[in-house]
Amino acid sequence: MDRLTEQAASSRPTAKSRRKRVLDVLFVGSLPPDQGGSAVVNHLLLLGLAKAGHRVRALVPGTREVIDSGNGIASSYRGVSVSRFQLPGMARFPVLMHAPKALRRQENEIIACALNASIARRRPEVIVLGTEHFAWHVPDIARAARIPSLALIQGSGNYGLLPDFPCKVREQLLRQLRKCDVVVAVAKHLAAGMRKIGLPEVRWVANPVDCEKFKPTDRDLALLRSLKIREDQFVVVHTSNLKRSKRALDIVRSAERVVRQCDAMYVVVGAGPMRQVMEDECERRRLRARFRFIGWINHDRIPKYLNLASVVLMPSDSEGMALAYLEAQACGRLLIASNIAAAREAIVDGETGMLFRKGDIRDLVAKTLLAAREPKLRERMGREASRRVRAHSLGRFVAKYEELLQRLVVRRSVRNEIKRSPQSPSNALLSRPSDGLSLRR
């Protein structure tokens, strides 16, 4: 072992000491009440890190409406210091690449101002990007400040990483992501997809589910009565932000055939651009009496609605790793999902749920009617799903991110020590990833 290697090895703490290190984490990204699974995942991660004793701050951009709503739920961010700021284009252009260049420049200036001010107040040890959206802005600022960064790929359209987006935009975003020290996808298929398009060192950490909150319970009879649903009815539940990619109209189209053969009720929890379209389609098909539209609710209330379900239906075009999958399974409900990569990662078809051909209404109707006719089948699959989904425990999720962040901070510290040493002419050692984390600077 040469002297440079010995120096790095002696500076590297043991696994036990790494766990005890208190980190100063600065997060940039969405949090509730912003709608969508990404905000919920971020919330769970930050609360977990704060509970583990780390100092956690969050810079949260949003529309004025979201900021005002967020100020009303500040008590839910236990141990996390949250600062919200307004981005003028987020309401009209939630996917930044669709915004005019002038608006993109303005957004970059606003984020840079907020981030630099936060760094100046207290320098963090690591910066976490809550979604790939913020790779447009944050990596350059982190590099200039010599602070390591970790970016989450959550898969909401992948913000330009999908093959059908312009190559120029995709390459720009890939260049930005390569500036991050670590990139983490929330599912195996997302990590594999990122590698195929030129981001070779993506890691993955599976999305979590809080099995203490999401667990099988009896139906809430008061809630059933309030929704005017009988106890003996077959109930189909869908939860999402009702974007076009959720294929919400497939639910209505399939319902038209299902209710001819089954006394089914449909409960739609969520809000988004397709809600009114769904309601209009229900009216046109004379199905309004079979649907209950709940709107957006606090995440803490989701378990009660999932436990009303005979089945949970997710006909999406694409997902990263939908929390709705994991939460339905944790509640012991039969999940019926379109046969996409994310669903195949979450479901063993015929064992822990059912898959149907995406966009195939006939196949969806057949699977729904099979579930309606076979309550023992629903119970068996739901029970098995509930058992297996414990691998997605919240504690395991937080521990994996904590380990990644600890290693990232320790390696940066070692690099800085070696650079300061007059006897260390090179930091070539740190260009070789010895523990799976590659620092590309």
Side-chain angles (χ1 to χ4, degrees):
M1 183 184 292
D2 60 37
R3 201 202 58 76
L4 187 62
T5 304
E6 288 177 354
Q7 182 178 354
S10 64
S11 302
R12 188 179 298 120
T14 65
K16 184 175 180 180
S17 65
R18 274 201 304 265
R19 285 196 296 272
K20 290 183 178 179
R21 182 184 182 119
V22 175
L23 299 176
D24 195 317
V25 179
L26 179 58
F27 168 86
V28 184
S30 61
L31 289 174
D34 201 7
Q35 297 179 2
S38 296
V40 175
V41 170
N42 293 337
H43 189 212
L44 293 172
L45 174 59
L46 297 191
L47 287 182
L49 291 173
K51 186 176 180 181
H54 303 292
R55 294 186 293 270
V56 182
R57 291 174 290 160
L59 290 176
V60 184
T63 62
R64 172 50 55 190
E65 180 183 12
V66 169
I67 291 172
D68 291 341
S69 300
N71 291 335
I73 62 168
S75 61
S76 69
Y77 302 111
R78 298 178 296 275
V80 180
S81 174
V82 178
S83 301
R84 296 182 181 271
F85 59 97
Q86 186 175 1
L87 287 183
M90 283 193 78
R92 288 178 295 147
F93 303 102
V95 178
L96 181 61
M97 74 178 62
H98 296 163
K101 287 184 178 180
L103 189 59
R104 287 173 60 176
R105 284 195 297 270
Q106 182 185 12
E107 179 170 304
N108 191 65
E109 290 171 1
I110 293 171
I111 291 176
C113 181
L115 184 53
N116 283 323
S118 187
I119 292 171
R121 282 193 296 272
R122 191 177 84 219
R123 180 182 174 84
E125 292 178 289
V126 63
I127 295 175
V128 175
L129 290 65
T131 65
E132 51 271 36
H133 176 103
F134 296 97
W136 291 104
H137 320 285
V138 177
D140 290 320
I141 299 170
R143 291 185 80 179
R146 298 185 180 277
I147 300 170
S149 60
L150 179 150
L152 275 71
I153 302 285
Q154 300 221 39
S156 0
N158 293 330
Y159 292 102
L161 296 176
L162 295 177
D164 57 347
F165 280 93
C167 289
K168 182 178 179 181
V169 175
R170 188 165 67 247
E171 288 304 317
Q172 287 175 344
L173 187 49
L174 285 170
R175 280 197 298 273
Q176 288 299 104
L177 284 168
R178 291 186 191 110
K179 296 175 184 178
C180 297
D181 296 279
V182 183
V183 177
V184 183
V186 299
K188 285 182 181 179
H189 74 94
L190 273 183
M194 298 302 100
R195 294 183 192 114
K196 285 181 181 177
I197 62 172
L199 205 63
E201 298 183 53
V202 179
R203 300 173 69 91
W204 74 276
V205 174
N207 264 351
V209 61
D210 186 343
C211 293
E212 294 300 314
K213 181 186 298 183
F214 290 87
K215 57 188 177 182
T217 64
D218 293 334
R219 286 178 165 183
D220 185 324
L221 299 183
L223 182 55
L224 281 176
R225 286 193 294 271
S226 72
L227 296 173
K228 298 182 180 179
I229 298 174
R230 299 194 317 274
E231 292 181 47
D232 62 339
Q233 282 186 295
F234 180 76
V235 179
V236 181
V237 172
H238 172 78
T239 68
S240 80
N241 52 17
L242 295 180
K243 294 179 180 178
R244 187 174 296 275
S245 63
K246 304 299 180 181
R247 297 189 68 96
L249 288 182
D250 285 1
I251 300 172
V252 181
R253 292 168 184 144
S254 67
E256 184 176 37
R257 302 184 192 182
V258 168
V259 298
R260 294 173 189 164
Q261 303 179 56
C262 169
D263 186 13
M265 297 293 291
Y266 286 74
V267 178
V268 179
V269 180
M274 293 302 293
R275 173 172 172 172
Q276 190 58 54
V277 179
M278 280 189 82
E279 293 197 47
D280 292 345
E281 191 67 8
C282 285
E283 293 286 355
R284 191 180 74 80
R285 294 175 185 261
R286 300 181 181 179
L287 291 170
R288 193 64 184 83
R290 293 285 185 171
F291 275 77
R292 304 290 183 265
F293 290 92
I294 308 305
W296 194 262
I297 61 174
N298 188 290
H299 192 243
D300 289 339
R301 296 175 59 198
I302 295 290
K304 283 193 174 185
Y305 284 90
L306 288 177
N307 278 301
L308 295 183
S310 307
V311 301
V312 174
L313 176 55
M314 293 291 292
S316 307
D317 253 332
S318 65
E319 296 282 356
M321 178 48 67
L323 288 183
Y325 292 168
L326 307 178
E327 291 166 355
Q329 292 178 322
C331 289
R333 267 40 196 179
L334 172 58
L335 175 62
I336 302 177
S338 50
N339 191 354
I340 58 175
R344 291 192 296 274
E345 200 167 317
I347 296 171
V348 178
D349 191 21
E351 294 183 22
T352 62
M354 292 182 179
L355 299 175
F356 69 93
R357 292 183 294 275
K358 183 179 72 176
D360 187 334
I361 301 302
R362 181 178 296 179
D363 193 27
L364 171 54
V365 170
K367 296 292 170 60
T368 306
L369 290 174
L370 173 61
R373 289 192 299 266
E374 300 287 347
K376 289 184 178 179
L377 180 104
R378 300 198 305 265
E379 183 181 348
R380 175 175 59 79
M381 290 192 190
R383 185 170 56 247
E384 183 62 15
S386 179
R387 184 184 69 82
R388 295 194 194 186
V389 83
R390 291 171 194 160
H392 291 262
S393 72
L394 186 55
R396 184 175 298 185
F397 163 79
V398 173
K400 286 183 177 181
Y401 274 101
E402 187 177 18
E403 182 181 5
L404 282 170
L405 294 171
Q406 294 274 10
R407 289 186 179 185
L408 184 56
V409 169
V410 167
R411 291 195 62 174
R412 175 51 60 90
S413 176
V414 170
R415 163 176 276 201
N416 290 342
E417 286 182 21
I418 292 174
K419 280 186 173 181
R420 287 194 294 268
S421 171
Q423 298 176 333
S424 300
S426 167
N427 61 6
L429 169 68
L430 292 174
S431 68
R432 299 196 301 269
S434 60
D435 58 5
L437 297 180
S438 175
L439 298 181
R440 297 176 290 281
R441 297 188 193 170

